[in-house]
Amino acid sequence: EARLHRHGIQEHDPQAARDPARPVPLRQGAPAPAPGARAGAPATEPRRRLYGALFFGAVARADALVEGAEAAPPGTRVVLDCAHLVALDTTGLDVLRQLHQTLLARGGSLALEHLHEQPRSLVERSGFAAELAAVRTGRAAPPASPAPEASQS
């Protein structure tokens, strides 16, 4: 299980404790069909929990999720449980968008679950929620709007 703390993402295993800079692997989970996945491509659904704040100071560690997505099997659908994600800024949103685009390029997708008010508000105002919903429903996404520069709280 990967966790995002105020200092970044940590995976709870002894190897991660020795080498926190390594990419967080997106291990295979329960098979689930990924929207847009190629026929015959393996579909997996790893779940990750995010903790604390995903902001400019933590994105270097969060980039490990993107690196893990680049190495994931085609058709991987990643579910991020955001129940413990209390804050998100535009830099953190950019990392989530990059993760989403990386997964899409490999026939996979991204889902965000249990968003608190502040992260949910930013995800919705930026248009990212509509992008995720468009992939989930198979409709074309509206053009992405730039993330709001106003206060993120």
Side-chain angles (χ1 to χ4, degrees), residues 103-124:
L103 290 165
L104 283 177
R106 299 181 53 75
S109 64
L110 175 67
L112 303 178
E113 295 182 343
H114 310 116
L115 284 165
H116 286 279
E117 177 60 29
Q118 187 278 328
R120 183 188 54 75
S121 175
L122 179 58
V123 166
E124 289 175 354

PDB file of all heavy atoms in Angstrom, residues 103-124:
ATOM      1  N   LEU A 103      -1.659   6.789 -17.792  1.00  0.00           N
ATOM      2  CA  LEU A 103      -2.494   5.593 -17.811  1.00  0.00           C
ATOM      3  C   LEU A 103      -3.315   5.511 -19.093  1.00  0.00           C
ATOM      4  O   LEU A 103      -3.445   4.440 -19.682  1.00  0.00           O
ATOM      5  CB  LEU A 103      -3.405   5.565 -16.578  1.00  0.00           C
ATOM      6  CG  LEU A 103      -2.676   5.312 -15.253  1.00  0.00           C
ATOM      7  CD1 LEU A 103      -3.565   5.663 -14.078  1.00  0.00           C
ATOM      8  CD2 LEU A 103      -2.186   3.879 -15.169  1.00  0.00           C
ATOM      9  N   LEU A 104      -3.880   6.634 -19.542  1.00  0.00           N
ATOM     10  CA  LEU A 104      -4.661   6.645 -20.784  1.00  0.00           C
ATOM     11  C   LEU A 104      -3.813   6.197 -21.969  1.00  0.00           C
ATOM     12  O   LEU A 104      -4.285   5.442 -22.825  1.00  0.00           O
ATOM     13  CB  LEU A 104      -5.217   8.038 -21.062  1.00  0.00           C
ATOM     14  CG  LEU A 104      -6.429   8.470 -20.254  1.00  0.00           C
ATOM     15  CD1 LEU A 104      -6.805   9.905 -20.610  1.00  0.00           C
ATOM     16  CD2 LEU A 104      -7.601   7.539 -20.459  1.00  0.00           C
ATOM     17  N   ALA A 105      -2.569   6.655 -22.017  1.00  0.00           N
ATOM     18  CA  ALA A 105      -1.676   6.308 -23.127  1.00  0.00           C
ATOM     19  C   ALA A 105      -1.401   4.810 -23.169  1.00  0.00           C
ATOM     20  O   ALA A 105      -1.062   4.271 -24.221  1.00  0.00           O
ATOM     21  CB  ALA A 105      -0.365   7.085 -23.022  1.00  0.00           C
ATOM     22  N   ARG A 106      -1.579   4.145 -22.024  1.00  0.00           N
ATOM     23  CA  ARG A 106      -1.346   2.700 -21.945  1.00  0.00           C
ATOM     24  C   ARG A 106      -2.659   1.916 -21.907  1.00  0.00           C
ATOM     25  O   ARG A 106      -2.696   0.762 -21.515  1.00  0.00           O
ATOM     26  CB  ARG A 106      -0.492   2.378 -20.718  1.00  0.00           C
ATOM     27  CG  ARG A 106       0.886   3.050 -20.792  1.00  0.00           C
ATOM     28  CD  ARG A 106       1.768   2.727 -19.610  1.00  0.00           C
ATOM     29  NE  ARG A 106       1.916   1.302 -19.346  1.00  0.00           N
ATOM     30  CZ  ARG A 106       2.657   0.451 -20.056  1.00  0.00           C
ATOM     31  NH1 ARG A 106       3.316   0.892 -21.107  1.00  0.00           N
ATOM     32  NH2 ARG A 106       2.750  -0.820 -19.716  1.00  0.00           N
ATOM     33  N   GLY A 107      -3.768   2.579 -22.288  1.00  0.00           N
ATOM     34  CA  GLY A 107      -5.062   1.908 -22.328  1.00  0.00           C
ATOM     35  C   GLY A 107      -5.723   1.752 -20.981  1.00  0.00           C
ATOM     36  O   GLY A 107      -6.667   0.979 -20.835  1.00  0.00           O
ATOM     37  N   GLY A 108      -5.247   2.459 -19.981  1.00  0.00           N
ATOM     38  CA  GLY A 108      -5.796   2.363 -18.631  1.00  0.00           C
ATOM     39  C   GLY A 108      -6.569   3.608 -18.254  1.00  0.00           C
ATOM     40  O   GLY A 108      -6.940   4.416 -19.106  1.00  0.00           O
ATOM     41  N   SER A 109      -6.799   3.772 -16.970  1.00  0.00           N
ATOM     42  CA  SER A 109      -7.535   4.939 -16.490  1.00  0.00           C
ATOM     43  C   SER A 109      -7.232   5.178 -15.017  1.00  0.00           C
ATOM     44  O   SER A 109      -6.592   4.360 -14.357  1.00  0.00           O
ATOM     45  CB  SER A 109      -9.040   4.751 -16.695  1.00  0.00           C
ATOM     46  OG  SER A 109      -9.513   3.675 -15.912  1.00  0.00           O
ATOM     47  N   LEU A 110      -7.730   6.315 -14.528  1.00  0.00           N
ATOM     48  CA  LEU A 110      -7.548   6.726 -13.137  1.00  0.00           C
ATOM     49  C   LEU A 110      -8.904   7.023 -12.532  1.00  0.00           C
ATOM     50  O   LEU A 110      -9.774   7.593 -13.197  1.00  0.00           O
ATOM     51  CB  LEU A 110      -6.674   7.993 -13.072  1.00  0.00           C
ATOM     52  CG  LEU A 110      -6.479   8.634 -11.695  1.00  0.00           C
ATOM     53  CD1 LEU A 110      -5.670   7.717 -10.776  1.00  0.00           C
ATOM     54  CD2 LEU A 110      -5.785   9.981 -11.836  1.00  0.00           C
ATOM     55  N   ALA A 111      -9.092   6.646 -11.276  1.00  0.00           N
ATOM     56  CA  ALA A 111     -10.305   6.983 -10.539  1.00  0.00           C
ATOM     57  C   ALA A 111      -9.897   7.554  -9.186  1.00  0.00           C
ATOM     58  O   ALA A 111      -8.947   7.071  -8.562  1.00  0.00           O
ATOM     59  CB  ALA A 111     -11.182   5.754 -10.340  1.00  0.00           C
ATOM     60  N   LEU A 112     -10.608   8.593  -8.755  1.00  0.00           N
ATOM     61  CA  LEU A 112     -10.386   9.202  -7.444  1.00  0.00           C
ATOM     62  C   LEU A 112     -11.620   8.906  -6.598  1.00  0.00           C
ATOM     63  O   LEU A 112     -12.742   9.156  -7.033  1.00  0.00           O
ATOM     64  CB  LEU A 112     -10.192  10.711  -7.559  1.00  0.00           C
ATOM     65  CG  LEU A 112      -9.066  11.190  -8.471  1.00  0.00           C
ATOM     66  CD1 LEU A 112      -9.045  12.715  -8.520  1.00  0.00           C
ATOM     67  CD2 LEU A 112      -7.726  10.649  -8.008  1.00  0.00           C
ATOM     68  N   GLU A 113     -11.403   8.399  -5.405  1.00  0.00           N
ATOM     69  CA  GLU A 113     -12.511   8.076  -4.508  1.00  0.00           C
ATOM     70  C   GLU A 113     -12.386   8.839  -3.203  1.00  0.00           C
ATOM     71  O   GLU A 113     -11.282   9.139  -2.755  1.00  0.00           O
ATOM     72  CB  GLU A 113     -12.523   6.577  -4.172  1.00  0.00           C
ATOM     73  CG  GLU A 113     -12.796   5.676  -5.339  1.00  0.00           C
ATOM     74  CD  GLU A 113     -12.835   4.209  -4.943  1.00  0.00           C
ATOM     75  OE1 GLU A 113     -12.333   3.866  -3.842  1.00  0.00           O
ATOM     76  OE2 GLU A 113     -13.361   3.412  -5.725  1.00  0.00           O
ATOM     77  N   HIS A 114     -13.535   9.137  -2.599  1.00  0.00           N
ATOM     78  CA  HIS A 114     -13.630   9.692  -1.244  1.00  0.00           C
ATOM     79  C   HIS A 114     -12.913  11.034  -1.083  1.00  0.00           C
ATOM     80  O   HIS A 114     -12.221  11.246  -0.089  1.00  0.00           O
ATOM     81  CB  HIS A 114     -13.110   8.691  -0.206  1.00  0.00           C
ATOM     82  CG  HIS A 114     -13.689   7.335  -0.356  1.00  0.00           C
ATOM     83  ND1 HIS A 114     -12.919   6.237  -0.667  1.00  0.00           N
ATOM     84  CD2 HIS A 114     -14.958   6.874  -0.296  1.00  0.00           C
ATOM     85  CE1 HIS A 114     -13.687   5.174  -0.755  1.00  0.00           C
ATOM     86  NE2 HIS A 114     -14.937   5.533  -0.542  1.00  0.00           N
ATOM     87  N   LEU A 115     -13.071  11.929  -2.031  1.00  0.00           N
ATOM     88  CA  LEU A 115     -12.422  13.243  -1.943  1.00  0.00           C
ATOM     89  C   LEU A 115     -13.082  14.123  -0.893  1.00  0.00           C
ATOM     90  O   LEU A 115     -14.316  14.225  -0.837  1.00  0.00           O
ATOM     91  CB  LEU A 115     -12.489  13.958  -3.293  1.00  0.00           C
ATOM     92  CG  LEU A 115     -11.528  13.473  -4.358  1.00  0.00           C
ATOM     93  CD1 LEU A 115     -11.943  13.994  -5.724  1.00  0.00           C
ATOM     94  CD2 LEU A 115     -10.111  13.910  -4.035  1.00  0.00           C
ATOM     95  N   HIS A 116     -12.277  14.768  -0.073  1.00  0.00           N
ATOM     96  CA  HIS A 116     -12.768  15.775   0.875  1.00  0.00           C
ATOM     97  C   HIS A 116     -13.115  17.048   0.119  1.00  0.00           C
ATOM     98  O   HIS A 116     -12.781  17.201  -1.055  1.00  0.00           O
ATOM     99  CB  HIS A 116     -11.703  16.073   1.936  1.00  0.00           C
ATOM    100  CG  HIS A 116     -11.558  14.974   2.936  1.00  0.00           C
ATOM    101  ND1 HIS A 116     -12.402  14.815   3.996  1.00  0.00           N
ATOM    102  CD2 HIS A 116     -10.657  13.962   3.013  1.00  0.00           C
ATOM    103  CE1 HIS A 116     -12.041  13.758   4.699  1.00  0.00           C
ATOM    104  NE2 HIS A 116     -10.979  13.217   4.122  1.00  0.00           N
ATOM    105  N   GLU A 117     -13.747  17.971   0.799  1.00  0.00           N
ATOM    106  CA  GLU A 117     -14.275  19.185   0.180  1.00  0.00           C
ATOM    107  C   GLU A 117     -13.219  19.980  -0.597  1.00  0.00           C
ATOM    108  O   GLU A 117     -13.437  20.318  -1.752  1.00  0.00           O
ATOM    109  CB  GLU A 117     -14.912  20.096   1.246  1.00  0.00           C
ATOM    110  CG  GLU A 117     -15.424  21.417   0.718  1.00  0.00           C
ATOM    111  CD  GLU A 117     -16.503  21.281  -0.347  1.00  0.00           C
ATOM    112  OE1 GLU A 117     -17.250  20.285  -0.327  1.00  0.00           O
ATOM    113  OE2 GLU A 117     -16.588  22.174  -1.211  1.00  0.00           O
ATOM    114  N   GLN A 118     -12.079  20.298   0.001  1.00  0.00           N
ATOM    115  CA  GLN A 118     -11.098  21.153  -0.688  1.00  0.00           C
ATOM    116  C   GLN A 118     -10.516  20.464  -1.918  1.00  0.00           C
ATOM    117  O   GLN A 118     -10.538  21.042  -3.005  1.00  0.00           O
ATOM    118  CB  GLN A 118      -9.995  21.608   0.275  1.00  0.00           C
ATOM    119  CG  GLN A 118      -9.038  22.635  -0.316  1.00  0.00           C
ATOM    120  CD  GLN A 118      -7.926  22.016  -1.168  1.00  0.00           C
ATOM    121  OE1 GLN A 118      -7.460  20.908  -0.916  1.00  0.00           O
ATOM    122  NE2 GLN A 118      -7.504  22.735  -2.192  1.00  0.00           N
ATOM    123  N   PRO A 119     -10.024  19.230  -1.811  1.00  0.00           N
ATOM    124  CA  PRO A 119      -9.523  18.587  -3.029  1.00  0.00           C
ATOM    125  C   PRO A 119     -10.627  18.398  -4.081  1.00  0.00           C
ATOM    126  O   PRO A 119     -10.413  18.618  -5.270  1.00  0.00           O
ATOM    127  CB  PRO A 119      -8.989  17.232  -2.542  1.00  0.00           C
ATOM    128  CG  PRO A 119      -8.701  17.429  -1.098  1.00  0.00           C
ATOM    129  CD  PRO A 119      -9.727  18.412  -0.619  1.00  0.00           C
ATOM    130  N   ARG A 120     -11.830  18.027  -3.643  1.00  0.00           N
ATOM    131  CA  ARG A 120     -12.938  17.827  -4.575  1.00  0.00           C
ATOM    132  C   ARG A 120     -13.270  19.119  -5.307  1.00  0.00           C
ATOM    133  O   ARG A 120     -13.465  19.134  -6.526  1.00  0.00           O
ATOM    134  CB  ARG A 120     -14.184  17.314  -3.852  1.00  0.00           C
ATOM    135  CG  ARG A 120     -15.348  17.020  -4.808  1.00  0.00           C
ATOM    136  CD  ARG A 120     -16.631  16.700  -4.076  1.00  0.00           C
ATOM    137  NE  ARG A 120     -17.033  17.698  -3.101  1.00  0.00           N
ATOM    138  CZ  ARG A 120     -17.567  18.879  -3.424  1.00  0.00           C
ATOM    139  NH1 ARG A 120     -17.759  19.214  -4.669  1.00  0.00           N
ATOM    140  NH2 ARG A 120     -17.902  19.734  -2.472  1.00  0.00           N
ATOM    141  N   SER A 121     -13.288  20.223  -4.587  1.00  0.00           N
ATOM    142  CA  SER A 121     -13.591  21.512  -5.197  1.00  0.00           C
ATOM    143  C   SER A 121     -12.576  21.864  -6.279  1.00  0.00           C
ATOM    144  O   SER A 121     -12.946  22.293  -7.380  1.00  0.00           O
ATOM    145  CB  SER A 121     -13.616  22.599  -4.113  1.00  0.00           C
ATOM    146  OG  SER A 121     -13.796  23.866  -4.695  1.00  0.00           O
ATOM    147  N   LEU A 122     -11.305  21.683  -5.994  1.00  0.00           N
ATOM    148  CA  LEU A 122     -10.268  21.991  -6.980  1.00  0.00           C
ATOM    149  C   LEU A 122     -10.368  21.063  -8.194  1.00  0.00           C
ATOM    150  O   LEU A 122     -10.258  21.514  -9.340  1.00  0.00           O
ATOM    151  CB  LEU A 122      -8.874  21.896  -6.355  1.00  0.00           C
ATOM    152  CG  LEU A 122      -7.699  22.177  -7.297  1.00  0.00           C
ATOM    153  CD1 LEU A 122      -7.805  23.580  -7.911  1.00  0.00           C
ATOM    154  CD2 LEU A 122      -6.382  22.007  -6.569  1.00  0.00           C
ATOM    155  N   VAL A 123     -10.595  19.784  -7.951  1.00  0.00           N
ATOM    156  CA  VAL A 123     -10.715  18.817  -9.043  1.00  0.00           C
ATOM    157  C   VAL A 123     -11.901  19.185  -9.938  1.00  0.00           C
ATOM    158  O   VAL A 123     -11.806  19.125 -11.166  1.00  0.00           O
ATOM    159  CB  VAL A 123     -10.833  17.377  -8.479  1.00  0.00           C
ATOM    160  CG1 VAL A 123     -11.284  16.397  -9.534  1.00  0.00           C
ATOM    161  CG2 VAL A 123      -9.496  16.939  -7.876  1.00  0.00           C
ATOM    162  N   GLU A 124     -12.992  19.603  -9.339  1.00  0.00           N
ATOM    163  CA  GLU A 124     -14.172  19.989 -10.127  1.00  0.00           C
ATOM    164  C   GLU A 124     -13.962  21.312 -10.861  1.00  0.00           C
ATOM    165  O   GLU A 124     -14.256  21.434 -12.051  1.00  0.00           O
ATOM    166  CB  GLU A 124     -15.406  20.068  -9.227  1.00  0.00           C
ATOM    167  CG  GLU A 124     -15.867  18.697  -8.776  1.00  0.00           C
ATOM    168  CD  GLU A 124     -17.012  18.757  -7.777  1.00  0.00           C
ATOM    169  OE1 GLU A 124     -17.398  19.869  -7.326  1.00  0.00           O
ATOM    170  OE2 GLU A 124     -17.533  17.677  -7.433  1.00  0.00           O
TER     171      GLU A 124
END
